[in-house]
Amino acid sequence: MESTHEYVEKLRENAKKAEQNRKRGKGTPSASLPTKQHTNNP
């Protein structure tokens, strides 16, 4: 069983990572991803 201190450290680390991921995800998805049209070539 891990100590309370280790648990709190993991919790803070996970919160920091989640915040960084939120900041990284700003902007419109269509601006960063090219749109692809799949067509059937005869």
Side-chain angles (χ1 to χ4, degrees):
M1 177 113 187
E2 59 186 274
S3 69
T4 306
H5 178 70
E6 290 173 354
Y7 175 75
V8 172
E9 287 296 316
K10 282 185 184 179
L11 206 63
R12 287 180 181 159
E13 187 177 322
N14 287 342
K16 188 190 298 183
K17 286 181 182 178
E19 182 65 28
Q20 288 174 348
N21 286 338
R22 266 188 239 114
K23 288 180 183 176
R24 193 174 295 135
K26 300 259 189 220
T28 58
S30 59
S32 60
L33 297 174
T35 57
K36 293 182 179 179
Q37 291 182 345
H38 295 279
T39 58
N40 293 330
N41 294 329

